[in-house]
Amino acid sequence: MKTSFLTLIFWSFIFNFSFSQEQKEFQANKFNNFKLVPLPAVASNPANGWMFGLAPAATWYMGQPESTKLSNLVGNLLYTTKKQWIFSIRSNIFTNENRLILMGDWRYFITSQPTFGLGSSTPNEVQLDPAFPSSNGVLWGEQQMDFRLIRFYETVLKRVSDTNFYLGLGYHLDIHSKIENFLNEDQNVVSGQFTHDAYNSYHGFDTESYTLSGITLNAVYENRDVAVSPYEKNYAFISLKFNPSFFGSDQSSSTLLMDYRHYFNLNPDRKRHLIGVWAYGNFLMTGNLPYMNLPSLGWDMFGRSGRGYAQGRFRGENMLYSEVEYRFPLQQNKETFGGTIFLNANSFGSKFNGEKLLETINPGYGVGLRVMINKANRTTISADYAFGREGNSGFYLNINESF
């Protein structure tokens, strides 16, 4: 009750702060050039397997296209070959004349996912973590997890004068529940504690359910031409997150997230011919986080980091990630088909087992095909095959560019 009351007060403040001056504009504006693509979904990645269902994608303008950036929303209602249910809505909305940005990430998962332990040097096969004595063994390598996730992230950013800079506040809530750890029947039988349980018990968290609830201070530089498929310019995002116990978190903590993307156009006459660069960092600043809330590969907003590995393949208190992608058209005079070649790298540090950030770096690389199904708004179907170290690989089928 206390958490719900505080959250209500917080969002009442955000709503009044953000919309009091623009209420008339919202009432006056209609959605311009609204495009809804109610795609029957067939998607794939290593963590979920093949996914089937609906994946509606929408784009529209909240004002005149000449002065307002394109808003977008991607939804998922999916069932997977690994017997998972995935419901999500993720949005990036620009109000009239770009005065506000509304960033939303809402999810409900009934899912499963392997975890491999903490740090960057975790092996594929299950064994004992050498950082711990055998008398108190902690498993290392592939360990299976079933869990449920409720996520509600919403951020409101207000434009600073007529610049491309935005400042704002957000609320983030993650509830993990019904967590079960196990090994598959075909895995080697190794006696030891599951990494999830050992880590959570060491830091005083429950091993079956936990909550992370917090507010964020955010700054954005939004200079991309179209967010879902940029051809030029750049984007930067900094988010300082506070998770106080009085907001509902099991323990107080704080984290820092930094995200930068730049697009170098190689041909002014064919702007689809470009090099994209992505740098991403996520760091625990104070306190402790529950295991599944630690920075992890593939858990960015749209789940696009780390092609070549399964979601959650690497995890730790601190994370660095980078990627470069060469994008090019495959037709001389049309934009329907395109291709990509990409290279990425990640590194994780973990105080729990003593591994330092950048001590081990995991590369990934691959190629992809792009099919643009809406040229006006650049809605694109992307298909990638990527490889990582030690035999890790995967096929990825999604909507829109990876970053």
Side-chain angles (χ1 to χ4, degrees), residues 200-222:
N200 270 19
S201 297
Y202 178 80
H203 289 296
F205 292 105
D206 191 81
T207 58
E208 296 182 358
S209 65
Y210 36 80
T211 298
L212 189 72
S213 175
I215 59 172
T216 56
L217 305 178
N218 306 280
V220 166
Y221 179 71
E222 177 54 271

Side-chain angles (χ1 to χ4, degrees), residues 33-104:
N33 297 325
F34 183 82
K35 306 284 186 183
L36 175 64
V37 183
L39 286 175
V42 179
S44 176
N45 65 54
N48 305 112
W50 284 92
M51 297 173 276
F52 304 93
L54 295 175
T59 55
W60 70 94
Y61 291 97
M62 297 292 289
Q64 294 302 314
E66 295 79 11
S67 59
T68 305
K69 289 183 179 293
L70 187 70
S71 297
N72 71 90
L73 178 150
V74 176
N76 286 300
L77 173 56
L78 303 171
Y79 183 73
T80 81
T81 53
K82 296 188 178 183
K83 299 180 180 180
Q84 305 160 340
W85 286 98
I86 296 174
F87 308 92
S88 68
I89 298 175
R90 284 163 283 190
S91 58
N92 197 32
I93 299 171
F94 296 87
T95 68
N96 186 38
E97 297 184 347
N98 304 321
R99 293 175 183 173
L100 297 176
I101 302 177
L102 312 178
M103 299 169 58

Side-chain angles (χ1 to χ4, degrees), residues 177-190:
S177 62
K178 297 189 176 182
I179 300 170
E180 295 183 11
N181 297 272
F182 60 97
L183 297 178
N184 286 332
E185 293 181 359
D186 58 351
Q187 289 182 276
N188 294 330
V189 177
V190 180

Side-chain angles (χ1 to χ4, degrees), residues 116 122-124 296-297 309-315 389 392:
F116 293 77
T122 53
N124 291 332
S296 181
L297 198 66
Y309 301 94
Q311 185 184 53
R313 176 61 181 82
F314 300 105
R315 188 183 307 270
R389 70 169 177 86
N392 285 274

